[in-house]
C-alpha cells in the first residue's frame, strides 16, 4: 500500500511485533494471562500439538527437474497464498477452499508448462498472464459470469464478467503480472531466483552478526509489491508481512534437512503468519477477547457467540472421535463469517500476532509441575509451531471447521 511507509532498514521483524502490539492495545483488544494459560493447558491443545505443529501444507506433489525449479514454484505458491476472503463462494463453486484452489491453479499451470506450452512461472510468463488463462487453469471459466437485466429490453438477461470467482481470478492475475514486472525490472528470470538472492544476502549478513531472516525479509518486501502486507490503523502503520515470512519458513521446512545449496534461514523466532484463520480461531478459543474492544469500529459485534462459557468449554475439550467415512460425507459449505473492513482485519491480524508472542512467552515460563501429565515440552514451543497448530486444527476438527472466520475481500495479502 503506497501510502504506508516501509519499516526502518534492519528492523522488519521488530516492526511486525511492535506495530501489532501497538494496534492491539490502541483498539483495546484484551488478551489476559488467564486466557492464555487456559488455552495452553486445554486438552484441545495438549492432545494434538505434537501431531499438528508442523502441518503447514506448502508441499506440492510434483516432480521437479531441479532444486531451483522447486524453489521457484514454492515461492509462487507463497505469493499466491491468499483469497481467504472468498472461502465460502469458492467452496460453493468448486468444492474446495481458498488455499486448495490456489494449489490446484499452481498444479494446472505446472502441468501445462511441462508439456511445452510455455512457462507461466517465469518472470516473462507471469508478466504476460491473462485473466482467461488463470480462469482456464483454475477450471472456473464457466463460473466467472453473472447475469443482469438488459437495460432496454424487458425480460431479457445478459451475462457479463463479474461475481466473487471473477474477483479471485482478477486478484491472481494482477498479483502475477505485478510480480513478473518487478522481477523483469530487476533482471531476474523468475521469483525463485529473487528469493535465492535474498537468502544469500541473509547468509552473508549472518556472518556479520545480523539476523539473516530479517535481512532476507526486508529484501523480499522491498522488492515485490505482493509482499508489502501493511496498512494504516489509527493513522499508524501495522506490518504483518504474512506471505514474505511464510516464504522464508517454507524454504526452511522444505530444504532445511536436505543437502541443497540453498541457504537456510533460522525461522523459529519469526512472528506468526497472520491471516484470517488464526485470529478467528483465537477469538473462538477465548484467547482474544473483543468484548471491550473499540466499539466505533464495530469490533465487539464481530463474533457475538465467542464468549459463551459452555461453547468455549466444548471447544477447549479434547475432540470427539470422528468416523472418517462420516466426516468425508459431511463436507458442507462453511458458513460465511463477518465481512471486515481493512482496518478491522488488520487489528485482528495484529492481535493474533501479539497473542501468539504472549502464548510462547507464557509457555516458556509456565509451571507445569502439578500437571497430571508431562507438559515440560511446552517450554520449547515456537511461534511457527503455534501458527501451524492453529491453522491445521482449524481443518482437523469437525466442530472447528464449522467456526466462522472473518473475511476481507479484494486483498492479495491473505
Amino acid at each position: 500500500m503506497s501510502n504506508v511507509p516501509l519499516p526502518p532498514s534492519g528492523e522488519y521483524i521488530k516492526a511486525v511485533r511492535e506495530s501489532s502490539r501497538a494496534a492491539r492495545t490502541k483498539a483495546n483488544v484484551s488478551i489476559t494471562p488467564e486466557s492464555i494459560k487456559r488455552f495452553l493447558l486445554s486438552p484441545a491443545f495438549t492432545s494434538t500439538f505434537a501431531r499438528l505443529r508442523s502441518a503447514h501444507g506448502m508441499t506440492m506433489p510434483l516432480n521437479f527437474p531441479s532444486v531451483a525449479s522447486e524453489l521457484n514454484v514454492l515461492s509462487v505458491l507463497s505469493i499466491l497464498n491468499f483469497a481467504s476472503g472468498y472461502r465460502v463462494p469458492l467452496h460453493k463453486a468448486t468444492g474446495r477452499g481458498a488455499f486448495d484452489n490456489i494449489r490446484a491453479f499452481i498444479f494446472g499451470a505446472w502441468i501445462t508448462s511441462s508439456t511445452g506450452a510455455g512457462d507461466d512461472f517465469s518472470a516473462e510468463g507471469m508478466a504476460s498472464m491473462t485473466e482467461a488463462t488463470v480462469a482456464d487453469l483454475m477450471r472456473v471459466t464457466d463460473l466467472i459470469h453473472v447475469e443482469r437485466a438488459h437495460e432496454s429490453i424487458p425480460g431479457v438477461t445478459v451475462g457479463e464478467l463479474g461475481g466473487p470467482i471473477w474477483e479471485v481470478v482478477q486478484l491472481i492475475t494482477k498479483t502475477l503480472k505485478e510480480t513478473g514486472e518487478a522481477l523483469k525490472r530487476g533482471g531476474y528470470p523468475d521469483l525463485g531466483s529473487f528469493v535465492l538472492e535474498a537468502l544469500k544476502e541473509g547468509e552473508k549478513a549472518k556472518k556479520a552478526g545480523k539476523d539473516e531472516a530479517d535481512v532476507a525479509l526486508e529484501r523480499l518486501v522491498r522488492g515485490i509489491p505482493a509482499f508489502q502486507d501493511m496498512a494504516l490503523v489509527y493513522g499508524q502503520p501495522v506490518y504483518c508481512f504474512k506471505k514474505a515470512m511464510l516464504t522464508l519458513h517454507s524454504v526452511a521446512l522444505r530444504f532445511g534437512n536436505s543437502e541443497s545449496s540453498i541457504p537456510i534461514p533460522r525461522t523459529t523466532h519469526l512472528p506468526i503468519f497472520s491471516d484470517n484463520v488464526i485470529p478467528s480461531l483465537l477469538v473462538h478459543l477465548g484467547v482474544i477477547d473483543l468484548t471491550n474492544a473499540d466499539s466505533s469500529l464495530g469490533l465487539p459485534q464481530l463474533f457475538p457467540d465467542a464468549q459463551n462459557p459452555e461453547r468455549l468449554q466444548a471447544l477447549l475439550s479434547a475432540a470427539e472421535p470422528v468416523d472418517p467415512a462420516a466426516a468425508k460425507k459431511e463436507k458442507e459449505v462453511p458458513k460465511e463469517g463477518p465481512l471486515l473492513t481493512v482496518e478491522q482485519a488488520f487489528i485482528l491480524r495484529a492481535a493474533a500476532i501479539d497473542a501468539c508472542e504472549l502464548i510462547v512467552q507464557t509457555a516458556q515460563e509456565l509451571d507445569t509441575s502439578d500437571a497430571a501429565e508431562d507438559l515440560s515440552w511446552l517450554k520449547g514451543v515456537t511461534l511457527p509451531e503455534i501458527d501451524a497448530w492453529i491453522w491445521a486444527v482449524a481443518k482437523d476438527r469437525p466442530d472447528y471447521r464449522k467456526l466462522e472466520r472473518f473475511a476481507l475481500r479484494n486483498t492479495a495479502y491473505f
Side-chain angles (χ1 to χ4, degrees):
M1 303 184 77
S2 57
N3 62 331
V4 185
L6 288 166
S9 183
E11 297 185 2
Y12 274 54
I13 293 175
K14 178 183 176 184
V16 171
R17 289 198 169 98
E18 292 188 351
S19 69
S20 295
R21 177 157 294 183
R24 195 268 294 179
T25 305
K26 179 77 173 174
N28 202 35
V29 174
S30 175
I31 302 168
T32 65
E34 293 76 23
S35 68
I36 292 174
K37 186 175 179 182
R38 178 181 61 197
F39 164 75
L40 283 170
L41 298 178
S42 70
F45 181 74
T46 58
S47 66
T48 59
F49 180 74
R51 177 168 62 87
L52 301 176
R53 66 182 180 175
S54 59
H56 62 100
M58 293 293 286
T59 52
M60 293 290 287
L62 297 170
N63 186 22
F64 297 98
S66 66
V67 170
S69 175
E70 183 171 3
L71 176 62
N72 184 48
V73 172
L74 181 62
S75 301
V76 174
L77 179 60
S78 294
I79 210 162
L80 292 181
N81 193 342
F82 58 79
S84 64
Y86 299 89
R87 175 184 178 228
V88 172
L90 283 168
H91 259 287
K92 288 178 180 175
T94 69
R96 295 188 298 262
F99 186 59
D100 286 340
N101 271 283
I102 296 297
R103 279 168 55 94
F105 166 74
I106 298 278
F107 192 82
W110 175 261
I111 297 300
T112 303
S113 296
S114 66
T115 59
D119 187 356
D120 291 322
F121 296 148
S122 66
E124 191 63 54
M126 289 197 289
S128 59
M129 185 60 64
T130 66
E131 282 93 351
T133 300
V134 171
D136 183 50
L137 292 171
M138 289 183 72
R139 300 185 178 180
V140 296
T141 303
D142 297 334
L143 304 171
I144 56 177
H145 293 83
V146 292
E147 290 192 345
R148 61 170 178 79
H150 194 282
E151 294 95 336
S152 54
I153 308 176
V156 173
T157 59
V158 292
E160 62 183 14
L161 289 168
I165 309 303
W166 173 238
E167 288 178 21
V168 175
V169 168
Q170 288 180 300
L171 278 170
I172 292 172
T173 308
K174 181 173 184 282
T175 301
L176 289 174
K177 289 176 78 70
E178 278 184 350
T179 303
E181 292 294 347
L183 292 169
K184 285 172 65 180
R185 285 194 299 271
Y188 299 98
D190 53 38
L191 184 57
S193 302
F194 174 75
V195 171
L196 181 59
E197 186 174 278
L199 293 169
K200 287 179 176 177
E201 282 191 24
E203 185 181 45
K204 187 177 176 183
K206 182 181 179 181
K207 293 173 182 173
K210 295 181 181 177
D211 182 341
E212 74 273 23
D214 199 66
V215 171
L217 174 63
E218 179 175 342
R219 183 67 197 278
L220 294 184
V221 173
R222 284 183 175 275
I224 305 294
F227 282 146
Q228 292 167 8
D229 177 7
M230 51 198 190
L232 290 177
V233 177
Y234 298 117
Q236 297 298 315
V238 175
Y239 305 105
C240 291
F241 300 148
K242 177 232 174 180
K243 295 190 302 185
M245 292 193 297
L246 181 59
T247 302
L248 298 178
H249 188 56
S250 298
V251 168
L253 286 176
R254 172 61 190 88
F255 299 107
N257 295 320
S258 69
E259 295 181 2
S260 74
S261 58
I262 296 174
I264 305 302
R266 181 177 61 94
T267 59
T268 54
H269 67 304
L270 288 179
I272 63 152
F273 322 123
S274 196
D275 53 5
N276 70 323
V277 175
I278 295 173
S280 300
L281 260 287
L282 288 174
V283 171
H284 290 303
L285 296 177
V287 175
I288 294 175
D289 184 357
L290 300 175
T291 306
N292 298 310
D294 188 347
S295 57
S296 69
L297 292 177
L299 297 177
Q301 289 78 44
L302 295 179
F303 295 96
D305 299 329
Q307 294 303 314
N308 181 309
E310 290 181 9
R311 179 177 180 272
L312 182 58
Q313 185 178 354
L315 293 175
L316 291 175
S317 300
E320 295 289 333
V322 178
D323 174 9
K328 214 168 186 181
K329 279 183 191 173
E330 195 194 67
K331 281 219 168 180
E332 57 192 57
V333 175
K335 186 181 176 186
E336 184 77 273
L339 284 173
L340 268 55
T341 65
V342 171
E343 197 167 31
Q344 287 174 327
F346 268 83
I347 287 172
L348 289 193
R349 295 175 72 206
I353 290 170
D354 197 36
C356 289
E357 297 285 332
L358 294 168
I359 287 170
V360 168
Q361 182 183 322
T362 303
Q364 290 170 348
E365 299 168 354
L366 200 60
D367 180 5
T368 59
S369 56
D370 293 337
E373 58 185 303
D374 179 15
L375 296 178
S376 58
W377 54 266
L378 280 169
K379 296 187 183 302
V381 302
T382 67
L383 286 158
E385 286 176 336
I386 292 290
D387 177 293
W389 180 84
I390 298 171
W391 197 84
V393 82
K395 293 173 174 282
D396 191 64
R397 286 180 56 158
D399 54 342
Y400 284 17
R401 284 201 299 270
K402 293 176 182 176
L403 295 173
E404 293 180 12
R405 296 120 182 241
F406 78 74
L408 178 67
R409 297 281 173 88
N410 293 307
T411 181
Y413 294 143
F414 64 96

